[in-house]
Amino acid sequence: MQYTVKVEEPSLSSRRLTIKVSAGAIAERIQSGLANAQKTAKLKGFRPGHVPINVVEQHYGADVRHNVYHSIIDESFRTAIRDQKIRAVGQPQIETEEDKAKNHDHDHDHDHDHDHHHDHEHDHSGHVLDGTKDFTYVATVDVVPEIEAKGYTGIALSRSRTELTDAEFSHALDQLLDSHSELEPVKGGLIGANGKPTSRPAEKGDFLDLAFTGGVVTPTGIEAKDGMKGAQVFELGNSGLLPEFEAQLPGMRAGETKTFRMTFPADYGAADLAGKEAEFTITANELKTKKSPALDDAFAKKVGHNTVAELRDGLRSHLEADKKKDSERKLKSDLLKSLIDKNPFDCPPSLIEAQTRSLAQDIAQQLKREQGMQDAQIQEVLQGEFDNLRKKAENQVRASLILEAVGRKEVLAIDPEDVTKAVEEMAAGMKLEPARLHEMYEKNAEMRDNLEFRLREDKVVQFLLSKAKIKDV
């Protein structure tokens, strides 16, 4: 394609390309488009493929010229950024001479985002080429900025110690036992008036199987509310109930019923109940207490170990590995924050937007998978977190570009051996044959590119940590 280009740099993160395509190249495309249309044209009175070119021109000329308009922009823009070695991100903003004229005539701004899938049913006005003159347009596009990284050696960092304390180990062991505990009915109660055994009085830490029904107090009586009745097991002291309600539970025995009144807080979530007086009748169906299993070899076998000693060793190793990972994660986070602070630059908005979308998609999938949220609920969560997500995305983009600049400056590259080692480690963790995982990465270029990108960043991070001033605290 015959074209010329002039490149300007409005900012570190954008380029403005003024591209001129020759009339000859355009005329050639139009003739080719009409010839293709002639092959498939179906018009009354003509055999398929034998419609005269002037008739094809009458019926399909506008569409052909419209298609040429977009294909010329697409191809010339891609060719220009390749020839000029410009690392463009996102879609360019296109402004033609016709757009400038419209801006002048209507006295308003008119940014035209170029659409690679323009609907032919749209108005073609201003978006056709006739091939009688050169076509000039301006493309403004975000680019990956060429950063000159600085201040990246000798960074002062604090590293958390990873030694496991006895208290931390004991707490984790108690949590493990607690997670396998069972609820048992409380014994030792009296015989009630109905001749049935009750229980001792409920106390903090007990689990009360409670039936309740209630309504709003009105001048004419109690107005029952469907949302104020039900049955549920509550842990005293950790029930999530309103304090006035929970205050009625300690001291109750199994089989006991009581009625009481309370006032909902003025800022209660349900507007129709906020500040209202309510009456509840509650019945303690059963009182239970949590019983943790004994720490013995039987329990050890239940959780995948042969003996208590093996369980303790395995738990300790797991906890130490977690502490080490947490320490390394914080060290890397502090390193990247320092790099971002030391290297301010204009960050391409389109990169930030793309990374924000990626983070939002990850969260949406997690909420759907782990909490079963519906799309409307997920959107509400994401809207509330948008500002935080965008800030996180911007930091990730900035850190990635800075690490890339450091790697380029220090000539840090990954070797095929690095990739092989990483794939083998992943295969071991996934319990797959290394050869099978290698084949997957060889067949999927995107997967391999992502892996190599991560390995490059890891190599740069390790280089920076080796040059940092790290103090253990």
Side-chain angles (χ1 to χ4, degrees), residues 191-211:
I191 300 298
N194 58 4
K196 294 182 179 180
T198 62
S199 67
R200 63 162 172 76
E203 57 190 39
K204 185 176 180 180
D206 286 339
F207 290 79
L208 196 60
D209 184 343
L210 195 72

Side-chain angles (χ1 to χ4, degrees), residues 237-276:
N238 189 33
S239 66
L241 294 167
L242 291 171
E244 266 196 86
F245 191 109
E246 181 160 358
Q248 302 294 325
L249 306 185
M252 288 191 75
R253 299 172 184 269
E256 181 180 348
T257 296
K258 67 160 61 173
T259 298
F260 63 92
R261 291 189 175 187
M262 59 167 281
T263 302
F264 283 99
D267 60 351
Y268 190 64
D272 61 329
L273 298 178
K276 300 285 182 66

Side-chain angles (χ1 to χ4, degrees), residues 212-218 222-229 242 244-245 262-280:
F212 56 92
T213 182
V216 175
V217 178
T218 70
I222 307 300
E223 181 186 344
K225 295 279 188 181
D226 288 340
M228 294 172 65
K229 70 176 182 179
L242 291 171
E244 266 196 86
F245 191 109
M262 59 167 281
T263 302
F264 283 99
D267 60 351
Y268 190 64
D272 61 329
L273 298 178
K276 300 285 182 66
E277 185 182 18
E279 182 176 285
F280 283 95

Side-chain angles (χ1 to χ4, degrees), residues 270-377:
D272 61 329
L273 298 178
K276 300 285 182 66
E277 185 182 18
E279 182 176 285
F280 283 95
T281 297
I282 60 176
T283 298
N285 293 325
E286 191 173 22
L287 184 66
K288 297 182 178 182
T289 188
K290 186 185 290 185
K291 183 179 180 182
S292 295
L295 182 59
D296 53 21
D297 288 351
F299 176 74
K301 287 183 173 65
K302 185 177 179 180
V303 295
H305 300 276
N306 291 318
T307 64
V308 172
E310 279 188 19
L311 186 155
R312 286 179 173 275
D313 289 343
L315 180 61
R316 184 174 294 278
S317 296
H318 175 73
L319 294 171
E320 287 173 344
D322 279 352
K323 286 201 75 172
K324 185 178 180 182
K325 286 179 184 176
D326 289 342
S327 177
E328 291 173 349
R329 195 178 296 115
K330 184 178 184 305
L331 191 66
K332 178 180 177 180
S333 176
D334 291 345
L335 170 71
L336 297 180
K337 184 179 184 306
S338 180
L339 285 174
I340 291 171
D341 291 342
K342 291 173 183 290
N343 291 272
F345 60 90
D346 291 335
C347 198
S350 52
L351 276 181
I352 297 172
E353 289 162 8
Q355 185 63 13
T356 303
R357 286 194 299 271
S358 177
L359 292 177
Q361 287 169 0
D362 289 345
I363 291 175
Q365 290 172 0
Q366 184 179 2
L367 291 174
K368 183 171 284 189
R369 182 177 62 251
E370 296 179 3
Q371 299 185 30
M373 279 193 181
Q374 299 300 311
D375 290 343
Q377 295 172 298

Side-chain angles (χ1 to χ4, degrees), residues 182-195:
E182 297 178 352
L183 295 181
E184 294 184 346
V186 171
K187 299 178 181 179
L190 305 174
I191 300 298
N194 58 4

Side-chain angles (χ1 to χ4, degrees), residues 71-85:
S71 66
I72 284 288
I73 290 177
D74 283 345
E75 186 176 339
S76 60
F77 175 74
R78 287 199 304 268
T79 303
I81 61 173
R82 184 179 66 244
D83 292 347
Q84 298 296 317
K85 295 181 171 56

Side-chain angles (χ1 to χ4, degrees), residues 173-191:
L173 188 57
D174 288 342
Q175 283 187 314
L176 178 63
L177 291 168
D178 185 70
S179 68
H180 287 80
S181 62
E182 297 178 352
L183 295 181
E184 294 184 346
V186 171
K187 299 178 181 179
L190 305 174
I191 300 298

